[in-house]
């Protein structure tokens, strides 16, 4: 075989404290993966820094080019959530950039294959450490032919797992890193395998991949089948926030009403609490529907609808209540504004339950128990919306597929499921109480495929009025068309020459990625400094019901969305550059926000971007998020020049920065405690206005009297540029409590206006001081709070007074986006300042330090 044409498969796993890498040669005739190398490295919490350098060294050692990689495989866990995401994000970056398939493979299967290959036979158990005294136990049967998995991934207390195994009929051989922690517990359960078999190896991954290939579960040569967007970690647990919420909502306590959604059936005396309901500001979808996990307070409403819709198959309230606390169940509800709600009633009260769905996760499948929508609310995508949410939670709990029963006469529902890829498995005769047959259908998880995460993609105006196709289609089309479509025939050769020319004039083209908080964003800047693409997928919907950004959810959503967002970004850029398609290989560099922010969220972007940059063999550029916010002012005002003073006010930052030159910063002062946006959010939460608080408070404040309540202006006369906002927040909360205790009705508009004014007074006074100290003649803003109209007006008045030029960035440039990261990256590219493959994400990095 000609060496150049030999194709290789690269497999790696970082689910635990070991990095395992396998490199194998693909033999398509025998469906075999011939091992070239298997490397295991201890990497306690260092897999993001070590993974790519190790991969790079391994390929170099074996003189294999990146372009010879035909397929990527990565361990999908279960294991450490961040650990799994590091491998997965790196793999997504590599596979996307190389336009090759990516497949996720169970980390535990790879371990079992190692045991099988070591000659172990019969009953075997893999127990991986799940932290918090829990383990991931899976039983296997090892035979000469291979491994047979006897159960789906699950997580249980170590003691429970050990107890079950002790009672199991046949003695087992046990492996897995949980044995390091719980040796005593598992001693009674069987014989321990050799310690070398306790952690994943490259060898095991290659064996698992080969078995999957032979079973037809993967095809290393089919890029559409192995679309990198759809490889996702297996968690087996919801995030803590979701789990706690589930437990709380499953209890029928009045305090549930605070964050739940209210319907008209709630008692009068509870309505005051209901007023706090998040729905008043909840993000409704385009049809006005609000989705929430089903809570016990609505069990009665569900039972009533059941009576109406299901007749004698209806579930009772107690049956519903019994379902909700169960760990392996997921229930969602849909609410719509009710037409009957009187104008005097709070907004929150005018929402009614219009649909619900529940699923039961058994053996890696979610069985849909119920999907119901009231007739008046049909044809608004509610069943679909509910199913997508049930599926998304079920996926996090380890489900890979979905099954359900539907009435034989319900053709509409069957058509919906068929459209979602479901197939009829058979019928259950006379299943329903009226003796109608049930059709059993099975299919993939009915996720919202728009961008896998179900997030709404937004393309910034700065990227031009390009058409935006739904991401799902474009993601599929992109993969389906690659890699041969463009290479077909002479006509396309001429076309690609023209494309080459068009692209040459735009060089360098730099892709930037931003995942520091709750937006997954990607942008491309061209050599002239204009953004040819700027795409943001906001997760706000997923966090809103928790009253703030939940880090674990943010990380999960980033990994779900990253491929959809980057694919979309390339498509938008292609349209803007007027070329049929922009390929990853057309990029000159890949940049990413590496700090500051939520580490788990940043890690996803950093690993992905590093993987892509490595695959393309182009420079990798790390960008400080705050510097990005400063550069955001250039998006709409490219000729803005330092020296200037920037006020950065967001959910995470409150600071005044002296920009002496691009790349040269001095932080003149920042907050000692809460950030401004955080204060808005906390005050809004205390007032029951939902999340995020900034926009609601500013709207409410417009109707109130800013002088009504004299809230403290902390640090106003401190003589320096430091801020403090926690005292103000506490003062507002105390005020609200005192008024409530005194039985007075709070004028929320006045509270909002007075709070906002206290913030503004300090902001403006410190900005004035910074401008005077620096003598800068330019002032600009950055961060989400810069969208506050009253603050903008106050800054405008200040700048007018001082004769300073004010730049107010457009909203899309204020909030997190990747366009601002791309602009910084272009400067770094020109200065040849690059990061290495060992770069990592950091929660805190000071922008004052020279780059
Ligand atoms: O910059 P950003 O999108 O995210 C980061 O925190 O990095 O800022 C979000 C913050 C939230 O705290 C939100 O409440 C606040 O910006 N915000 C506002 C307004 N719009 C958004 N604060 C005050 N007034 C607004 N109109
Ligand atoms: Zn930000």
């Amino acid at each position: 075989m000609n060496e150049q044409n030999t194709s290789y498969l690269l497999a790696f796993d970082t689910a635990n404290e070991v990095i395992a890498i396998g490199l194998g040669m693909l033999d398509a005739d025998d469906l075999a993966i011939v091992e070239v190398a298997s490397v295991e490295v201890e990497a306690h919490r260092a897999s993001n820094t070590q993974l790519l350098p190790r991969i790079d060294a391994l390929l170099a050692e074996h003189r294999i080019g990146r372009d010879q990689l035909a397929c990527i495989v990565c361990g999908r866990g279960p294991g450490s959530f961040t650990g799994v995401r590091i491998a997965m994000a790196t793999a997504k970056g590599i596979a996307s950039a190389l336009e090759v398939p990516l497949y996720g493979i169970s980390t535990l299967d790879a371990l079992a294959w190692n045991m099988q290959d070591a000659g172990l036979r019969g009953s075997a158990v893999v127990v991986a450490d799940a932290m918090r005294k829990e383990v991931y136990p899976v039983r296997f049967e090892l035979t000469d032919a291979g491994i047979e998995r006897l159960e789906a991934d699950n997580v249980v207390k170590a003691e429970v797992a050990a107890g079950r195994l002790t009672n199991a009929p046949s003695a087992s051989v046990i492996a897995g890193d949980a044995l390091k922690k719980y040796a005593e517990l598992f001693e009674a359960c069987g014989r321990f395998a050799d310690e070398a078999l306790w952690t994943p190896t490259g060898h095991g991954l290659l064996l698992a991949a080969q078995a999957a290939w032979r079973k037809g579960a993967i095809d290393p040569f089919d890029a559409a089948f192995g679309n990198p967007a759809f490889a996702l970690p297996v968690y087996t647990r919801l995030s803590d926030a979701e789990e706690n919420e589930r437990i709380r909502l499953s209890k029928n306590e009045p305090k549930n009403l605070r964050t739940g959604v209210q319907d008209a059936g709630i008692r009068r005396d509870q309505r005051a609490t209901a007023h706090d309901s998040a729905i008043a500001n909840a993000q409704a979808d385009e049809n006005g529907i609000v989705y929430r996990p089903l809570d016990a307070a609505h069990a009665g409403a569900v039972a009533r609808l059941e009576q109406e819709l299901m007749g004698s198959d209806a579930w009772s309230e107690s049956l519903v209540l019994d379902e909700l606390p169960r760990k392996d169940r997921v229930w969602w509800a849909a609410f719509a504004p009710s037409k009957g709600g009187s104008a005097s009633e709070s907004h929150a009260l005018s929402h009614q339950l219009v649909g619900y769905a529940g699923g039961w996760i058994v053996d890696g499948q979610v069985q849909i128990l119920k999907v119901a929508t009231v007739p008046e609310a049909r044809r608004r995508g509610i069943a679909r919306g509910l199913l997508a949410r049930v599926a998304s939670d079920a996926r996090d709990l380890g489900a890979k597929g979905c099954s359900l029963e539907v009435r034989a006469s319900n053709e509409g529902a069957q058509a919906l499921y068929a459209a979602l890829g479901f197939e009829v498995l058979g019928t259950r005769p006379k299943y329903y109480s009226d003796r109608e047959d049930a059709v059993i259908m099975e299919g993939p998880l009915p996720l919202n495929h728009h961008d896998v995460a179900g997030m709404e993609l937004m393309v910034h105006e700065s990227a031009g009025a390009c058409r935006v196709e739904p991401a799902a289609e474009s993601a599929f089309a992109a993969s389906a068309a690659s890699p041969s479509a463009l290479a077909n025939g002479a006509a396309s050769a001429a076309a690609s020459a023209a494309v080459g020319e068009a692209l040459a004039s735009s060089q360098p083209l730099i892709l930037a990625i931003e995942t520091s908080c709750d937006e997954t964003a990607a942008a491309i800047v061209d050599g002239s400094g204009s953004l040819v693409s700027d795409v943001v997928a906001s997760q706000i919907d997923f966090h809103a019901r928790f009253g703030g950004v939940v880090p674990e959810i943010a990380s999960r959503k980033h990994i779900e969305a990253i491929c959809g967002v980057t694919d979309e970004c390339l498509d938008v850029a292609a349209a803007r550059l007027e070329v049929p398609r922009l390929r990853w290989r057309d990029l000159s560099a890949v940049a990413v926000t590496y700090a500051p922010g939520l580490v788990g969220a940043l890690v996803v972007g950093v690993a992905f971007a590093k993987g892509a940059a490595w695959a393309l063999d182009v420079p990798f550029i790390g960008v400080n998020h705050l510097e990005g916010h400063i550069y955001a002012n250039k998006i709409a005002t490219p000729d803005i020049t330092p020296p200037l003073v920037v006020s950065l006010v967001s959910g995470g930052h409150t600071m005044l920065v002296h920009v002496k030159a691009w790349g040269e910063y001095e932080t003149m002062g920042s907050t000692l405690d809460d950030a401004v946006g955080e204060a808005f959010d906390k005050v809004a939460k205390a007032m029951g206005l939902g999340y995020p608080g900034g926009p609601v408070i500013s709207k409410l404040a417009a109707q109130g009297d800013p002088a009504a309540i004299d809230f403290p202006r902390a640090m106003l006369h401190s003589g320096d540029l430091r801020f403090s906002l926690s005292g103000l927040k506490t003062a507002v909360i105390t005020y609200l409590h005192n008024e409530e205790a005194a039985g007075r009705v709070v004028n929320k508009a006045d509270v909002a206006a007075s709070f906002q004014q206290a913030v503004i007074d300090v902001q403006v006074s410190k900005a004035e001081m910074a401008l005077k100290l620096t003598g800068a003649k330019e002032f600009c803003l950055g961060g989400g709070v810069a969208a506050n109209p009253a603050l903008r007006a106050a800054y405008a008045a200040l700048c007018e007074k001082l004769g300073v030029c004010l730049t107010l960035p457009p909203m899309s440039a204020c909030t997190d986006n990747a366009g601002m990261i791309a602009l910084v990256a272009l400067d770094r590219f020109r200065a040849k300042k690059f990061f290495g493959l060992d770069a990592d994400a950091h929660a805190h990095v000071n922008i004052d330090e020279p780059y």
Side-chain angles (χ1 to χ4, degrees):
M1 228 190 287
N2 174 343
E3 198 173 287
Q4 212 41 51
N5 291 332
T6 314
S7 300
Y8 293 88
L9 177 143
L10 172 68
F12 47 88
D13 182 292
T14 59
N16 302 95
E17 285 172 10
V18 170
I19 296 176
I21 308 171
L23 185 59
M25 206 171 76
L26 290 164
D27 175 351
D29 298 332
D30 293 340
L31 300 188
I33 301 174
V34 184
E35 183 171 313
V36 175
S38 171
V39 175
E40 294 77 37
V41 199
E42 286 280 346
H44 181 62
R45 296 192 167 265
S47 31
N48 200 22
T49 55
Q50 292 203 29
L51 178 61
L52 265 176
R54 294 284 176 172
I55 290 174
D56 189 57
L58 193 66
L59 263 76
E61 183 188 330
H62 294 277
R63 296 177 194 284
I64 293 169
R66 302 156 169 78
D67 55 342
Q68 287 172 275
L69 296 177
C71 178
I72 310 296
V73 161
C74 81
R76 60 192 299 255
S80 138
F81 297 164
T82 303
V84 173
R85 281 191 290 262
I86 287 170
M88 190 64 87
T90 308
K92 280 176 185 258
I94 297 175
S96 298
L98 293 176
E99 295 176 14
V100 301
L102 164 67
Y103 299 98
I105 278 201
S106 162
T107 302
L108 306 185
D109 283 7
L111 280 166
W113 270 105
N114 260 348
M115 295 166 87
Q116 193 274 355
D117 193 57
L120 300 171
R121 293 294 178 270
S123 165
V125 186
V126 175
V127 265
D129 184 16
M131 315 296 280
R132 307 176 196 184
K133 303 195 171 129
E134 291 187 318
V135 297
Y136 304 113
V138 174
R139 287 176 297 116
F140 291 91
E141 185 67 24
L142 308 180
T143 65
D144 289 344
I147 66 163
E148 193 192 338
R149 182 186 255 265
L150 302 181
E151 60 193 331
D153 291 321
N154 64 103
V155 64
V156 285
K157 289 275 174 231
E159 285 142 46
V160 175
R164 276 188 207 157
L165 293 173
T166 317
N167 298 328
S170 59
S172 305
V173 52
I174 312 174
D177 65 348
L179 298 181
K180 292 183 190 166
K181 260 193 198 164
Y182 307 109
E184 280 170 28
L185 268 181
F186 287 100
E187 243 157 21
C189 308
R191 179 166 61 86
F192 287 1
D194 190 273
E195 207 172 324
L197 300 173
W198 291 7
T199 46
T201 62
H203 181 65
L205 289 165
L206 293 176
L207 288 173
Q210 177 177 275
W213 190 9
R214 288 178 177 173
K215 260 191 359 205
I218 75 171
D219 180 346
F221 297 104
D222 188 339
F225 186 30
N227 187 331
F230 297 107
L232 288 172
V234 47
Y235 298 107
T236 72
R237 273 199 282 238
L238 294 175
S239 67
D240 288 348
E242 289 165 299
E243 183 58 19
N244 293 339
E245 177 196 47
R246 211 179 60 84
I247 293 168
R248 185 171 50 79
L249 293 184
S250 68
K251 294 184 192 141
N252 199 359
E253 289 172 1
K255 70 169 190 259
N256 291 348
L257 303 175
R258 280 188 172 268
T259 50
V261 175
Q262 309 314 318
D263 66 345
I266 286 165
R267 292 203 328 264
R268 261 263 146 230
D269 58 344
Q270 290 174 337
R271 291 195 176 184
T273 355
H275 191 74
D276 286 353
S277 147
I279 197 178
N281 307 295
Q283 301 265 335
D285 72 359
E286 65 279 10
N287 294 315
I289 307 296
V290 171
Y291 294 93
R292 283 275 187 277
L294 180 61
D295 57 283
H298 286 93
V302 168
R304 279 195 295 281
L305 287 183
E306 280 279 298
Q307 282 293 333
E308 238 172 74
L309 304 170
M310 308 284 173
S312 50
D313 294 302
W315 284 24
S316 66
E317 180 171 353
S318 59
L319 205 54
V320 176
L321 282 173
D322 182 55
E323 275 285 308
L324 296 179
R326 295 181 185 238
K327 269 200 132 170
D328 50 2
R329 304 291 209 279
V330 217
W331 284 86
W332 277 82
F335 298 86
S338 72
K339 294 193 189 81
S342 84
S344 64
E345 271 184 327
S346 91
H347 184 81
L349 293 176
S350 56
H351 276 72
Q352 265 181 334
L353 181 78
V354 291
Y356 49 89
W360 177 14
I361 294 108
V362 210
D363 261 340
Q365 275 239 335
V366 56
Q367 292 182 10
I368 302 299
L369 299 167
K370 289 277 175 193
V371 197
T373 317
V374 299
E376 313 83 82
R378 295 209 175 126
R379 276 186 285 280
R380 287 161 78 180
I382 296 177
R384 182 81 187 75
L386 287 164
L387 278 173
R389 284 162 175 85
V390 168
S392 169
D393 283 354
R395 180 188 53 200
D396 280 2
L397 291 170
K400 295 195 192 102
C402 180
S403 63
L404 47 81
E405 281 113 13
V406 50
R407 279 182 180 267
S409 63
N410 192 348
E411 286 171 9
Q414 287 170 39
L416 166 73
Y417 300 134
L420 293 171
F422 279 63
E423 283 171 14
V424 175
L425 274 195
T427 50
R428 281 192 217 289
K430 306 192 178 80
Y431 177 76
Y432 296 98
S433 60
D434 58 5
R435 309 185 67 73
E436 184 172 344
D437 294 352
V439 176
I440 311 165
M441 297 184 84
E442 199 176 79
L445 287 174
L447 294 163
N448 206 337
H449 274 184
H450 177 64
D451 61 357
V452 188
M455 293 179 225
E456 200 172 317
L457 281 177
M458 196 173 100
V459 178
H460 282 168
E461 280 158 28
S462 56
C466 313
R467 66 98 203 72
V468 182
E469 296 291 332
E473 270 78 20
S474 63
F476 281 122
S479 300
S482 75
S484 55
L486 270 186
N488 277 343
S492 72
S496 22
V499 169
E501 246 167 65
L503 292 180
S505 62
S506 316
Q507 293 297 323
L509 283 170
I510 302 172
L511 171 74
I513 290 163
E514 153 70 41
T515 64
S516 69
C517 191
D518 62 343
E519 331 266 5
T520 317
I524 294 176
V525 64
D526 71 8
S528 73
S530 58
L531 293 174
V532 293
S533 181
D534 190 359
V535 178
V536 180
S538 173
Q539 313 174 346
I540 204 144
D541 227 6
F542 298 92
H543 301 282
R545 66 183 215 261
F546 301 103
V549 176
V550 179
E552 173 60 21
I553 295 180
S555 307
R556 289 185 184 194
K557 296 303 164 194
H558 286 311
I559 198 131
E560 288 170 24
I562 191 107
C563 289
V565 170
T566 47
D567 282 347
E568 184 70 32
C569 181
L570 288 163
D571 285 357
V572 171
R576 183 68 184 273
L577 294 166
E578 295 177 347
V579 295
R581 190 174 161 209
L582 188 68
R583 313 284 292 264
W584 281 84
R585 66 180 72 138
D586 299 321
L587 298 171
S588 323
V590 182
V592 71
T593 303
Y594 77 99
L598 302 170
V599 166
L602 286 163
V603 153
V604 173
V606 170
F608 180 90
K610 273 202 300 189
W614 174 79
L616 299 170
D617 201 7
V618 298
F620 169 62
I621 300 170
V623 175
N624 183 306
H625 181 78
L626 296 177
E627 189 174 9
H629 272 305
I630 296 172
Y631 267 68
N633 285 285
K634 283 205 201 187
I635 295 179
T637 323
D639 50 0
I640 183 170
T641 30
L644 38 98
V645 170
V646 188
S647 162
L648 291 182
V649 274
S650 73
H653 297 94
T654 299
M655 58 205 290
L656 282 161
V657 180
H658 181 200
V659 179
K660 297 174 182 168
W662 295 116
E664 199 186 321
Y665 312 104
E666 183 195 344
T667 304
M668 304 185 70
S670 51
T671 177
L672 301 173
D673 38 57
D674 291 353
V676 177
E678 198 180 351
F680 271 87
D681 294 337
K682 286 179 176 169
V683 165
K685 197 172 178 179
M687 291 168 73
L689 298 173
Y691 173 86
V696 208
I697 296 230
S698 64
K699 243 186 266 161
L700 201 56
Q703 300 149 27
D705 173 7
I709 309 149
D710 188 21
F711 287 127
R713 272 101 173 121
M715 315 284 289
L716 186 61
H717 304 294
S718 65
D720 58 24
L721 294 171
R722 293 177 305 167
F723 301 85
S724 167
L725 285 126
S726 77
L728 171 60
K729 167 202 70 191
T730 312
V732 177
I733 294 172
T734 310
Y735 173 85
L736 292 170
H737 284 169
N738 290 346
E739 294 296 296
E740 196 184 329
R744 285 191 285 269
V745 178
V746 173
N747 181 331
K748 289 194 176 186
D750 282 354
V751 176
S754 303
F755 158 75
Q756 181 177 278
Q757 194 57 47
V759 170
I760 292 173
D761 284 354
V762 182
Q763 287 294 321
V764 169
S765 145
K766 304 260 171 178
E768 175 166 8
M769 193 170 158
L771 283 164
K772 286 184 176 159
L773 279 171
T774 55
K777 288 286 159 220
E778 297 259 9
F779 183 67
C780 46
L781 305 181
V785 188
N788 186 294
L791 183 65
R792 289 166 88 106
Y795 278 142
L798 170 73
C799 290
E800 170 134 25
K801 181 179 96 178
L802 300 179
V804 165
C805 175
L806 173 69
T807 301
L808 288 171
M811 242 336 273
S812 61
C814 286
T815 49
D816 290 350
N817 63 85
M820 64 189 197
I821 306 301
L823 293 186
V824 182
L826 181 59
D827 276 2
R828 293 292 180 271
F829 184 85
R830 289 189 173 132
K832 294 197 166 46
K833 290 194 169 165
F834 307 134
F835 274 37
L837 294 176
D838 58 350
D840 206 353
H842 297 278
H844 307 282
V845 167
N846 189 344
I847 47 167
D848 294 15
E849 279 158 26
Y851 190 81

